[in-house]
């Protein structure tokens, strides 16, 4: 089934505002949202939402309704994307990713791991997270940084995707790690990736739709929580996330566009977490906070 991109063309400032609207409408669902620059000199940008063909009518109707608030003059344009396995395609020819003490590589690049590096092998698969995205790389770099400053005893990787961050935490810290995702496919893929990386105990995967799952209370509280999701759900879950954080614990947050960082920081400052550091990568930020 083909994938569809619905988008509007406008200025950079308005594209950011439209992205905020899209995030409010679609942010908690499985639709990819993005802005991209088309023409720097003419200040032409596009704000897009991606979906499968059978979802187009519903998504377009919701987008049209959202644009009525200040952006009704922007026509919705449509692009049919080629039916390609984009995850596999994106890995073709990509070099291993190095972030902090980690190197994330495919099975074809095992010989490129250098002495002293912590290698994580992730091939193309169904779950998001290969290390090449700025959010994943930012989390790896931040994880390596915070681990130099203190010891951790119990880790939660929230929204694990491919499991790359959970695998990294276990290989670096050698402490119990719980990795959860709302998608059972992601949980299965992450479990397979952990085995491929030689991890047979100490790293547990669970499908959990929210903090009301007993999985968290049974394994927590956690003195390190890593959550590479999206800004809106991160803000919404701030109270529950902090409730599951041990005294003195640290939080690493990503999946946050640079312009969204202040809203995320405000949500977690409101839960009495202190901002420690922010890493910037390719328009995305990774934030470290402490309790």
């Amino acid at each position: 089934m083909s994938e569809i991109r619905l988008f509007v063309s406008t200025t950079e400032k308005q594209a950011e505002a439209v992205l905020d609207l899209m995030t409010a409408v679609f942010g908690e669902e499985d639709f990819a949202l993005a802005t991209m620059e088309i023409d720097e000199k003419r200040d032409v940008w596009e704000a897009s939402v991606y979906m499968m063909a059978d979802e187009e009518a519903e998504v377009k109707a919701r987008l049209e309704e959202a644009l009525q608030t200040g952006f009704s003059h922007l026509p919705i344009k449509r692009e049919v994307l080629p039916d390609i396995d984009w995850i596999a395609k994106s890995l073709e020819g990509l070099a291993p990713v190095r972030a902090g003490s980690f190197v994330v590589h495919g099975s074809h690049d095992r010989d490129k791991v250098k002495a002293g590096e912590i290698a994580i092998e992730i091939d193309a698969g169904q779950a998001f997270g290969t290390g090449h995205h700025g959010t994943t790389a930012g989390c790896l770099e931040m994880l390596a940084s915070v681990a130099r400053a203190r010891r951790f005893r119990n880790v939660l990787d929230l929204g694990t995707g491919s499991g790359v961050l959970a695998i990294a935490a276990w290989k670096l810290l050698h402490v119990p790690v719980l990795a959860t995702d709302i998608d059972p496919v992601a949980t299965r893929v992450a479990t397979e990736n952990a085995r491929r990386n030689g991890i047979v105990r100490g790293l547990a995967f669970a499908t959990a739709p929210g903090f009301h799952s007993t999985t968290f209370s049974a394994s927590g509280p956690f003195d390190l929580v890593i959550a590479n999701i999206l800004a809106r759900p991160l803000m919404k879950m701030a109270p529950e996330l902090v409730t599951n954080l041990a005294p003195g614990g640290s939080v690493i947050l990503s999946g946050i566009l640079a312009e969204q960082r202040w809203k995320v920081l405000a949500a977690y400052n409101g839960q009495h977490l202190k901002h420690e550091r922010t890493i910037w990568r390719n328009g995305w930020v990774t934030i470290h906070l402490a309790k």
Side-chain angles (χ1 to χ4, degrees):
M1 184 180 296
S2 298
E3 188 176 12
I4 307 296
R5 179 172 77 101
L6 297 179
F7 63 99
V8 298
S9 298
T10 182
T11 64
E12 178 181 9
K13 184 176 180 180
Q14 287 198 350
E16 291 178 359
V18 171
L19 180 65
D20 284 342
L21 275 179
M22 288 179 173
T23 301
V25 175
F26 305 110
E28 295 184 25
E29 302 174 53
D30 294 329
F31 298 113
L33 309 174
T35 58
M36 61 181 130
E37 185 178 47
I38 305 301
D39 188 324
E40 180 180 4
K41 291 184 179 180
R42 295 169 53 218
D43 189 25
V44 177
W45 284 66
E46 291 177 355
S48 308
V49 55
Y50 297 79
M51 75 234 59
M52 302 309 294
D54 61 349
E55 301 169 312
E56 181 181 0
E58 178 191 355
V59 172
K60 184 177 181 181
R62 293 167 65 188
L63 180 58
E64 286 176 338
E65 182 179 358
L67 292 176
Q68 292 305 307
T69 309
F71 301 99
S72 58
H73 62 289
L74 298 177
I76 298 175
K77 302 175 184 179
R78 177 179 186 268
E79 179 185 12
V80 180
L81 302 176
D83 190 11
I84 295 174
D85 183 346
W86 288 106
I87 297 177
K89 187 73 174 176
S90 69
L91 293 181
E92 291 179 3
L94 286 178
V97 172
R98 289 179 165 85
S101 52
F102 301 102
V103 55
V104 184
H105 65 88
S107 56
H108 57 287
D109 278 330
R110 290 172 186 162
D111 60 339
K112 296 183 180 178
V113 178
K114 300 176 183 177
E117 290 183 322
I118 300 175
I120 304 168
E121 184 175 307
I122 304 288
D123 276 329
Q126 293 173 285
F128 174 82
T130 62
H132 292 89
H133 196 275
T135 61
T136 309
C139 284
L140 290 170
E141 183 179 341
M142 191 71 84
L143 173 60
S145 174
V146 300
R148 287 193 295 267
R150 61 160 293 185
R151 293 178 63 86
F152 296 102
R153 297 169 296 176
N154 195 16
V155 179
L156 170 64
D157 175 22
L158 192 66
T160 193
S162 69
V164 61
L165 298 177
I167 293 167
W170 188 92
K171 287 196 169 191
L172 179 65
L173 304 171
H174 296 288
V175 300
V177 178
L178 172 65
T180 66
D181 204 286
I182 63 172
D183 183 356
V185 173
T187 306
R188 176 177 57 78
V189 171
T191 302
E192 293 170 358
N193 284 333
R195 290 174 182 155
R196 176 177 298 176
N197 281 269
I199 304 172
V200 294
R201 60 174 59 89
L203 174 49
F205 293 95
T207 302
F211 275 109
H212 58 273
S213 169
T214 56
T215 301
F216 299 100
S217 58
S219 301
F222 307 92
D223 53 7
L224 175 60
V225 176
I226 307 168
N228 181 14
I229 310 177
L230 290 170
R232 186 176 175 84
L234 284 175
M235 290 185 285
K236 184 177 180 179
M237 67 176 57
E240 293 176 301
L241 190 153
V242 175
T243 297
N244 285 271
L245 187 65
S250 285
V251 177
I252 296 174
L253 305 177
S254 199
I256 306 163
L257 290 166
E259 60 266 25
Q260 298 171 322
R261 67 193 185 279
W262 297 116
K263 296 178 182 178
V264 176
L265 281 170
Y268 283 84
N269 288 159
Q271 300 300 317
H272 309 293
L273 293 194
K274 177 186 176 184
H275 175 235
E276 297 287 341
R277 184 187 175 202
T278 296
I279 291 175
W280 302 65
R281 275 181 177 259
N282 304 324
W284 299 85
V285 297
T286 301
I287 300 172
H288 172 213
L289 303 109
K291 195 170 186 178

